[in-house]
Amino acid sequence: MHIAIKSEKINLVSEKITNELAKKVQKKIYAGDIILIFGEIGVGKTTFVKYLINHFQKENNLKLTEITSPTFNLLNEYKINNLKILHYDLYRIKDSSELKNLNIFENNSNAITLVEWPQIIKEKPKRFIEFLFQYEDDYDKRSVKIKGLNI
């Protein structure tokens, strides 16, 4: 598991750059890693997750699947050979007590856990990677700040 070392801001001026970032991240994350993904609606969180999961699928010669936000069912799970990718979206959770049944951080040693809208989580794990997606001066420009992973 990674340890937070550095914070880096990356300008995401196009979806192509988001895809390239996801490819770099895919090479540096492993089972047991937890990635907390912050950002406003429409800023690119799920687009990043889509590319990230698709890069794992490509690397393992698997069919690319459609990756959507699990806003209504809270969790989408993807199997990449012996690796699981757990993609949570906590947008609809209004009270942290609702998280108890999700077991987000339990038994994830052979899974990569991706959590969108993690603000509701009161007790975060000791080690995690953080992505903060944000709009810049206008809604056409976006950036991401990464903590805990050197790209």
Side-chain angles (χ1 to χ4, degrees):
M1 198 173 261
H2 299 281
I3 298 172
I5 327 172
K6 178 179 174 183
S7 179
E8 177 179 338
K9 183 177 178 181
I10 299 167
N11 289 320
L12 301 173
V13 295
S14 69
E15 195 169 322
K16 180 182 177 187
I17 291 174
T18 302
N19 186 10
E20 290 169 2
L21 173 63
K23 187 174 186 174
K24 288 179 184 177
V25 170
Q26 184 265 328
K27 301 285 185 198
K28 294 185 175 251
I29 61 174
Y30 306 95
D33 283 344
I34 297 167
I35 300 176
L36 305 180
I37 306 169
F38 297 85
E40 296 178 50
I41 290 176
V43 78
K45 298 179 303 293
T46 304
T47 300
F48 169 77
V49 168
K50 170 185 81 168
Y51 286 126
L52 181 64
I53 294 170
N54 283 164
H55 284 298
F56 274 104
Q57 292 170 330
K58 282 180 197 174
E59 185 176 85
N60 288 277
N61 298 314
L62 299 173
K63 180 181 175 187
L64 301 185
T65 58
E66 183 178 348
I67 309 299
T68 59
S69 179
T71 303
F72 294 101
N73 54 343
L74 303 178
L75 169 65
N76 288 341
E77 187 174 314
Y78 303 90
K79 187 107 170 95
I80 316 272
N81 296 332
N82 294 325
L83 175 70
K84 282 192 299 187
I85 298 179
L86 306 173
H87 178 203
Y88 291 91
D89 184 323
L90 306 181
Y91 180 75
R92 292 186 28 207
I93 304 289
K94 300 302 177 209
D95 187 291
S96 61
S97 66
E98 296 176 54
L99 297 173
K100 191 175 282 187
N101 294 332
L102 290 177
N103 299 323
I104 294 175
F105 305 125
E106 293 179 22
N107 301 321
N108 64 348
S109 61
N110 56 336
I112 293 172
T113 304
L114 309 170
V115 184
E116 293 188 50
W117 300 96
Q119 295 87 326
I120 192 85
I121 300 170
K122 289 184 178 178
E123 293 183 37
K124 293 182 174 59
K126 290 180 182 177
R127 293 185 180 166
F128 58 89
I129 301 165
E130 184 176 276
F131 283 67
L132 174 58
F133 286 84
Q134 58 192 18
Y135 290 107
E136 291 300 316
D137 298 334
D138 59 48
Y139 287 106
D140 292 331
K141 296 177 185 169
R142 299 173 171 107
S143 67
V144 64
K145 196 176 242 187
I146 302 170
K147 295 180 183 176
L149 184 69
N150 290 324
I151 301 296

